Amino acid sequence: MKNFVSFLDHDPNVIRAIVEQALGIKNGSIVPQNLQGKTLGMLFFNPSLRTRVSFELAMKRFGGDAIALAAGSDTWSLEFGERALMNGTTVEHVKDASKVLSRYVDGIAIRSFGALKSLEEDLKESVLRGFEQFADVPVISMESACEHPAQALADMMTMRERHGNERVKFVLSWAPHIKALPMAVPHSALLAAAHLGHDIVLAHPEGFDLAPQFVNHAREVATQFGGTLSETNNQSDALMDATIVYAKNWAPAAAYGDPAKLDSMLGAHTDWLMTGDKIKNAKTLLHCLPVRRNLEVSDNALDSPQSAIYDEAENRLWAQASLLDTIFNP
Ligand code: CP
């Protein structure tokens, strides 16, 4: 594995092997060797708590180092346009930044959310793919416009810890919010459940469809491992007999760039709030965090025995140690 920017780029068995190794690293039976002496350069175009701390600590804990930079404030503002005439506000081209960083560090990790102006534009992943095009060292996603693959590794690990190799009903349920959030985590949550062969139900209000290429890929991979994927606009039907519930908001692509339409669409579905009552018969509640309590998921769900949110956050550390060990494997 050279780069890690999308689950869609990798054999599902390679992804599963990273997760199995992560479980071994967490229980101490495996000590990753390939991070020793390596430095990870982390470039953040957006804020982070879990991703920044867990990537940095994974490197340091296993003999490596990491340097984190806020793009545009710690660095020059970057240009991504091909053959751009740089007579505006951008100061350094991604080509030069990638080539120079490649002389200093052993891997470049990028966090860059979508602009949520057009799904078509976000699907191009121009920031991440820009670094991938020019870097001479591995490029790793720390969440991009359309995927959060490192989160998906931790989610898989958490599901493996709680449910072993059992095939269970996994529900990804849309949840309310007051602002536009990207589809990256929901896409990756579907892919995580698919790579474990679960029976996936994708539940969202009408008009909140995810990008078909991710749903279709998740369906194919789920089928490969004995699972299924179906979609519904009825949350209570979806949650019936659910074992794992993943609650997450995302904005409807039809309202990208249209604040009035977005407010109206988001505001119409506050009854999709995930509550303790809705998950009372489930075994596991997942959310990537940060979560807006009692807007997206209620306190009595987040603080319930079913809630695995802190295991999930901790597992970022172990999953990424395993990922980095795989990437730096000579
Ligand atoms: N889940 C996650 O990626 O958290 P941060 O945005 O805090 O890194």
Side-chain angles (χ1 to χ4, degrees):
M1 176 179 288
K2 179 172 185 270
N3 299 321
F4 183 73
V5 300
S6 169
F7 263 38
L8 276 57
D9 295 341
H10 300 289
D11 179 340
N13 287 305
V14 172
I15 304 276
R16 284 162 63 112
I18 291 171
V19 172
E20 293 312 304
Q21 178 173 264
L23 291 163
I25 295 172
K26 184 174 181 179
N27 72 27
S29 62
I30 297 172
V31 179
Q33 302 294 326
N34 298 323
L35 283 65
Q36 283 178 29
K38 297 286 195 297
T39 301
L40 183 68
M42 302 190 294
L43 195 50
F44 287 90
F45 291 82
N46 304 95
S48 165
L49 187 153
R50 282 144 288 273
T51 304
R52 175 173 172 170
V53 175
S54 57
F55 263 104
E56 187 165 337
L57 285 182
M59 288 300 298
K60 290 181 171 167
R61 190 176 186 117
F62 296 107
D65 204 350
I67 179 161
L69 298 167
S73 53
D74 288 332
T75 71
W76 302 107
S77 56
L78 294 176
E79 173 63 50
F80 291 88
E82 270 183 60
R83 293 180 293 280
L85 169 63
M86 290 174 56
N87 61 355
T89 54
T90 55
V91 179
E92 180 156 33
H93 199 277
V94 63
K95 177 175 186 173
D96 303 317
S98 303
K99 295 280 178 204
V100 169
L101 279 174
S102 299
R103 299 288 177 105
Y104 298 138
V105 299
D106 302 285
I108 300 175
I110 305 290
R111 164 162 286 201
S112 168
F113 297 164
L116 301 185
K117 296 267 166 33
S118 138
L119 183 58
E120 200 182 355
E121 277 307 307
D122 287 350
L123 286 165
K124 289 181 188 163
E125 298 284 14
S126 50
V127 174
L128 192 58
R129 296 291 179 187
F131 278 94
E132 195 182 23
Q133 182 182 351
F134 296 114
D136 300 310
V137 295
V139 172
I140 298 158
S141 169
M142 298 193 294
E143 186 172 347
S144 67
C146 292
E147 274 185 83
H148 195 348
Q151 179 71 50
L153 295 177
D155 294 344
M156 286 175 68
M157 198 180 159
T158 310
M159 289 189 272
R160 281 279 289 107
E161 284 179 329
R162 290 218 160 196
H163 302 284
N165 286 315
E166 200 187 346
R167 171 183 165 193
V168 301
K169 180 174 176 183
F170 169 100
V171 178
L172 172 60
S173 177
W174 184 89
H177 210 284
I178 50 167
K179 66 185 279 264
L181 297 188
M183 298 180 184
V185 168
H187 287 158
S188 289
L190 278 189
L191 292 166
H195 280 67
L196 294 175
H198 289 319
D199 291 316
I200 302 164
V201 178
L202 168 57
H204 57 76
E206 221 169 297
F208 284 75
D209 302 73
L210 293 175
Q213 53 267 62
F214 291 98
V215 179
N216 292 339
H217 187 81
R219 184 178 285 109
E220 279 167 28
V221 174
T223 307
Q224 178 183 340
F225 293 114
T228 57
L229 191 154
S230 61
E231 204 162 345
T232 178
N233 298 138
N234 187 319
Q235 190 191 43
S236 57
D237 279 359
L239 292 175
M240 206 176 294
D241 305 323
T243 300
I244 303 172
V245 177
Y246 201 123
K248 187 71 186 84
N249 172 269
W250 62 91
Y256 280 10
D258 184 341
K261 188 170 183 181
L262 182 74
D263 281 352
S264 148
M265 287 186 79
L266 287 177
H269 304 289
T270 51
D271 58 326
W272 281 66
L273 170 72
M274 189 55 65
T275 64
D277 191 49
K278 289 181 185 175
I279 59 156
K280 66 177 187 294
N281 296 320
K283 298 275 194 301
T284 297
L285 172 71
L286 299 174
H287 189 289
C288 62
L289 304 181
V291 63
R292 292 205 183 204
R293 281 177 174 257
N294 304 310
L295 175 71
E296 200 178 353
V297 186
S298 65
D299 285 338
N300 67 2
L302 291 165
D303 301 329
S304 68
Q306 294 97 313
S307 176
I309 57 174
Y310 303 129
D311 291 340
E312 207 180 344
E314 179 193 334
N315 286 339
R316 297 290 305 276
L317 173 66
W318 310 111
Q320 286 153 199
S322 178
L323 169 67
L324 292 161
D325 187 66
T326 305
I327 284 175
F328 292 138
N329 187 338

